[in-house]
Amino acid sequence: MALTGLFLCLFLVGHLAGNLQLIFGTPLQFNEYALFMTTNPAVKILSYVTYISILFHVIDGFLLTIQNRKARPVGYAKTNPKANSSFSSRNMAVLGTLVLIFIATHMTNFWAKMHFDKKMPLMIQPIEPAPGMKADYYVGRSIGQFYPVDQVKLPDEPAPMDGVIPKQLEVRNGTDIYNVNANVKVGELYKDLHKITMDFFKSKEKLFGVIPNEGLFFTIFYVLSMAVLGFHLWHGFQSAFQSLGANSPKWTPTIHFIGKAFAVLVPFLFAIIPLYIHFTK
């Protein structure tokens, strides 16, 4: 529990650094980050380690909760848990379950779309090729590569009508762009995770056809989930070091301070992102 918990804390820091580009970076920088996180071999290995760590942390957490309850099948006749334990320490299983629910929904809305959604949008950038003329271009992964949107055929686009000149470029395999006549790959495009994220938190659609302004609903859900994560980390961070035997009169106060600062700062910065997108973008 301690080792997987601390590893997941490192993951949070890395994930936060990338997500903060939604505030401080450009759409291209965020999409470059998303591409790196989904294609780099070393990152892929770390991703599998992260998935395994989450599963182990969850399963072991449930097993420890069951063991603790079996160790005292009969409760105390009189108890005052607030006197010697924090809210977080008494409710780690509940908090962890709520965090797991958030992870599942978060991966469904972003990770799964990035990897498997065949309708994932491709990054488009408006460019002014000549003074007073502006057009939309698909952005290639190589510097200076741009392809006019009106000259690129998408996979689900119908064939042109008789008499209409067919487009010379087409998208294949999700992001590869080919010259149709030569049947040669000429470049690769970016999946637009930046647009997916912006649309997700700014959507004015009704959720399930009932809840108005689903973007606001998702923003509130995300912020509340970060509050739950903060409470989970409030106890979990410092208890991990205790489990590893790192407590000592010299280091314990520092560990507790760093743990509490981490539990407040990291979830707070994560929560700022959807609030910034929904209310300012």
Side-chain angles (χ1 to χ4, degrees):
M1 284 294 288
L3 292 174
T4 54
L6 292 175
F7 174 78
L8 293 173
C9 285
L10 290 175
F11 164 77
L12 285 175
V13 173
H15 194 46
L16 175 62
N19 283 7
L20 284 174
Q21 292 182 79
L22 289 164
I23 297 178
F24 301 107
T26 65
L28 178 58
Q29 287 173 331
F30 183 75
N31 286 329
E32 287 175 335
Y33 155 73
L35 176 66
F36 176 79
M37 295 299 290
T38 53
T39 58
N40 184 274
V43 174
K44 282 188 175 182
I45 294 173
L46 282 175
S47 296
Y48 291 125
V49 175
T50 302
Y51 305 148
I52 293 170
S53 296
I54 292 173
L55 288 174
F56 186 92
H57 199 74
V58 170
I59 293 171
D60 202 31
F62 279 119
L63 292 177
L64 287 173
T65 300
I66 293 171
Q67 288 176 9
N68 288 340
R69 290 181 177 178
K70 285 184 176 180
R72 180 168 290 279
V74 179
Y76 290 105
K78 183 178 180 181
T79 179
N80 183 18
K82 294 181 181 179
N84 56 12
S85 63
S86 66
F87 169 84
S88 298
S89 66
R90 298 193 306 273
N91 295 279
M92 287 297 283
V94 175
L95 293 169
T97 301
L98 293 175
V99 172
L100 180 62
I101 292 172
F102 167 76
I103 291 173
T105 58
H106 190 67
M107 293 187 71
T108 300
N109 292 318
F110 299 104
W111 180 87
K113 285 187 178 181
M114 184 69 180
H115 283 80
F116 307 115
D117 190 352
K118 294 182 179 180
K119 295 183 179 180
M120 181 78 181
L122 299 170
M123 185 178 179
I124 295 174
Q125 181 174 316
I127 294 178
E128 192 171 343
M133 296 178 60
K134 185 174 286 188
D136 289 335
Y137 287 75
Y138 288 114
V139 181
R141 295 182 189 175
S142 296
I143 296 176
Q145 278 189 335
F146 297 95
Y147 307 94
V149 170
D150 58 3
Q151 295 180 25
V152 178
K153 181 180 180 296
L154 298 176
D156 57 352
E157 191 175 326
M161 299 175 62
D162 292 340
V164 177
I165 299 175
K167 296 177 179 179
Q168 302 302 303
L169 299 169
E170 72 174 3
V171 176
R172 302 177 186 175
N173 306 319
T175 56
D176 297 337
I177 190 162
Y178 276 75
N179 182 299
V180 177
N181 295 327
N183 196 31
V184 173
K185 179 178 174 180
V186 295
E188 293 180 83
L189 306 178
Y190 288 100
K191 291 183 178 181
D192 202 349
L193 186 62
H194 184 274
K195 182 179 186 304
I196 288 290
T197 307
M198 294 294 164
D199 291 346
F200 182 79
F201 289 115
K202 292 190 71 67
S203 174
K204 302 297 182 181
E205 299 293 328
K206 287 187 176 181
L207 181 63
F208 308 126
V210 178
I211 303 175
N213 198 335
E214 66 175 8
L216 178 60
F217 174 85
F218 291 139
T219 299
I220 294 172
F221 173 73
Y222 194 102
V223 171
L224 292 177
S225 297
M226 291 304 98
V228 171
L229 176 63
F231 278 111
H232 192 69
L233 291 170
W234 186 266
H235 174 73
F237 189 97
Q238 57 88 17
S239 68
F241 286 91
Q242 181 177 339
S243 297
L244 295 173
N247 276 5
S248 70
K250 180 179 179 180
W251 293 108
T252 296
T254 302
I255 291 172
H256 282 205
F257 174 80
I258 294 174
K260 290 178 179 180
F262 186 91
V264 172
L265 184 60
V266 171
F268 173 77
L269 291 175
F270 269 117
I272 286 294
I273 296 170
L275 290 171
Y276 173 81
I277 293 172
H278 184 81
F279 290 106
T280 67
K281 281 291 186 177

